[in-house]
């Protein structure tokens, strides 16, 4: 089979296929674990925004196999191929019904680790993308406050945009340690980073609330808020202003995701194409590709959007 240009471009994409990970993102979580020892003592974990599932795979591989019973719950808008020991929920984490379903799994037995690699479909409009990303993070944090055991850890993707100080302040209310980390496998060219929030310690008397009080009300036009709409959140002052440490994870021995490496790292070995471990089973781009192939995108009389074909229908 021919060379894949992506293989050539990205060392972590290639490594993920060689090691059997569903996505290159697996290395981000593994490198964060290497730095922060995230998995130590963890036996109940939640992976929010999990598809295609490489973080769940990492959790499944790293947490299972010991004596202790392990529970891993993975949630995503998209369907995901099954993984050993992982319970899947298909749903939107910003919806109360999904949040309640997740919470039910941990009633009486809270989780000790919640991870969220959630990202919206990027529009290219930075303010919009950052806003939606922040909403995902707040939804994840709200779910976390319902299910995380005191002392537990929350890890989430953030876009380090102009309102990031407000996010840090909100996270610091719930965790004694908040660090912003950039694993080597996350490209420098991307504004993505990860907040690693350790030692969950909610304020005394805090009662988790599904109405999502963490959302910044002043974004909504016409809303009266305790915070004035004129406040520039990055200008928070005094004890309201939180500076969190920024850590470039790992030493220089890990591959640099922005560098181009030779296709075959093992000198003397023939290049061999490796297919993806688990392609997305119902990707949202599938219908757009179908429309474009059949020249239906620009036609006014194009058929209404139909349900996306199931895996069985698509595969020969
Ligand atoms: N960590 C995953 C892995 O390693 O395979 C990759 C996650 S991918 C970068 C981001 C995921 O966020 C997508 O699968 C997308 O469907 C999901 N997502 C975005 N918004 C969501 C929402 N509101 N509720 C649930 N999942 C969401």
């Amino acid at each position: 089979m021919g060379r894949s240009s992506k293989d050539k471009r990205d060392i972590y994409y290639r490594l993920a296929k060689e090691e059997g990970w569903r996505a290159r993102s697996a290395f981000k979580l593994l490198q964060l674990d290497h730095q922060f020892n995230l998995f130590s003592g963890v036996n109940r974990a939640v992976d929010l925004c999990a598809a295609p599932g490489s973080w769940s795979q990492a959790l499944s591989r790293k947490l299972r196999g010991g004596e202790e019973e392990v529970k891993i719950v993975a949630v995503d808008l998209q369907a995901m191929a099954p993984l050993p020991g992982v319970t899947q929920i298909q749903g939107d984490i910003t919806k109360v019904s999904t949040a309640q379903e997740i919470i039910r799994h941990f009633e009486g037995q809270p989780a000790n680790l919640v991870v969220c690699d959630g990202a919206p479909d990027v529009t290219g409009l930075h303010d919009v993308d950052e806003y939606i990303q922040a909403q995902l993070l707040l939804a994840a944090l709200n779910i976390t406050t319902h299910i995380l055991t005191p002392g537990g850890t929350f890890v989430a993707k953030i876009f380090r945009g102009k309102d990031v100080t407000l996010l840090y302040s909100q996270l610091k209310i719930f965790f004694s340690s908040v660090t912003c980390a950039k694993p080597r496998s996350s490209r420098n060219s991307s504004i993505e980073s990860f907040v690693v929030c350790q030692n969950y310690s909610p304020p005394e008397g805090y009662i988790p609330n599904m109405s999502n009080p963490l959302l910044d009300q002043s974004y909504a036009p016409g809303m009266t808020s305790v915070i004035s709409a004129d406040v520039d959140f990055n200008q928070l002052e005094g004890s309201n202003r939180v500076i969190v440490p920024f850590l470039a994870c790992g030493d220089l021995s890990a591959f640099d995701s922005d560098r181009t490496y030779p296709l075959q790292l093992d000198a003397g070995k023939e290049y061999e194409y490796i297919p993806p471990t688990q392609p997305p089973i119902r990707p949202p781009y599938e219908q757009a590709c179908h429309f474009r192939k059949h020249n239906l995108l620009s036609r006014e009389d194009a058929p209404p959007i139909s349900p996306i074909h199931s895996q069985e229908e698509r595969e020969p």
Side-chain angles (χ1 to χ4, degrees), residues 141 144-145 148-154 170-178 197-206:
L141 176 60
T144 301
T145 60
L148 193 62
T149 192
T153 305
F154 172 60
Q170 290 169 319
L171 292 167
K172 279 293 263 186
I173 296 171
F174 296 96
F175 296 88
S176 66
S177 163
V178 177
C197 309
Q198 292 166 298
N199 191 19
Y200 177 56
S201 33
E204 219 181 297
Y206 176 77

Side-chain angles (χ1 to χ4, degrees), residues 29-261:
L29 186 61
L30 294 171
Q31 288 170 350
L32 287 169
D33 169 53
H34 192 246
Q35 184 77 43
F36 294 93
N37 209 9
L38 299 176
F39 301 151
S40 167
V42 170
N43 62 347
R44 285 181 303 280
V46 184
D47 182 8
L48 300 171
C49 304
S54 76
W55 280 27
S56 291
Q57 256 186 309
L59 291 171
S60 171
R61 284 191 199 178
K62 298 281 176 181
L63 305 187
R64 294 168 67 246
E67 307 259 287
E68 237 179 333
E69 204 186 314
V70 168
K71 180 169 197 143
I72 303 166
V73 174
V75 190
D76 201 284
L77 284 172
Q78 312 292 333
M80 209 171 96
L83 278 169
V86 178
T87 306
Q88 286 186 38
I89 298 173
Q90 192 177 355
D92 181 343
I93 64 158
T94 65
K95 286 205 166 147
V96 174
S97 53
T98 311
Q100 280 167 340
E101 200 178 337
I102 301 167
I103 292 163
R104 271 200 295 276
H105 279 276
F106 292 93
E107 259 158 9
Q109 279 206 306
N112 17 41
L113 174 67
V114 179
V115 295
C116 175
D117 190 23
D121 287 337
V122 177
T123 64
L125 300 168
H126 294 314
D127 284 353
V128 175
D129 292 337
E130 277 167 37
Y131 177 73
I132 302 173
Q133 175 68 24
Q135 297 305 299
L136 272 184
L137 177 66
L138 290 175
L141 176 60
N142 200 12
I143 292 170
T144 301
T145 60
H146 287 79
I147 57 174
L148 193 62
T149 192
T153 305
F154 172 60
V155 176
K157 188 199 315 267
I158 56 160
F159 288 168
R160 273 187 312 130
K162 65 179 169 42
D163 283 343
V164 75
T165 308
L166 173 66
L167 286 178
Y168 292 153
S169 306
Q170 290 169 319
L171 292 167
K172 279 293 263 186
I173 296 171
F174 296 96
F175 296 88
S176 66
S177 163
V178 177
T179 308
C180 179
K182 180 90 172 165
R184 291 274 282 170
S185 49
S186 172
R187 296 184 188 95
N188 279 327
S189 46
S190 151
I191 59 164
E192 158 194 282
S193 287
F194 294 86
V195 277
V196 178
C197 309
Q198 292 166 298
N199 191 19
Y200 177 56
S201 33
E204 219 181 297
Y206 176 77
I207 300 170
N209 185 337
M210 258 316 149
S211 65
N212 209 345
L214 301 165
L215 290 180
D216 166 25
Q217 304 295 329
S218 70
Y219 275 112
M223 289 283 272
T224 46
S225 164
V226 280
I227 304 172
S228 153
D230 299 332
V231 173
D232 176 349
F233 294 114
N234 254 9
Q235 299 309 314
L236 293 175
E237 278 169 7
S239 59
N240 291 330
R241 184 169 170 81
V242 177
I243 312 256
V244 310
F246 181 86
L247 194 74
C249 266
D251 58 22
L252 296 180
S253 61
F255 289 113
D256 176 349
S257 47
D258 286 297
R259 251 189 73 187
T260 304
Y261 290 88

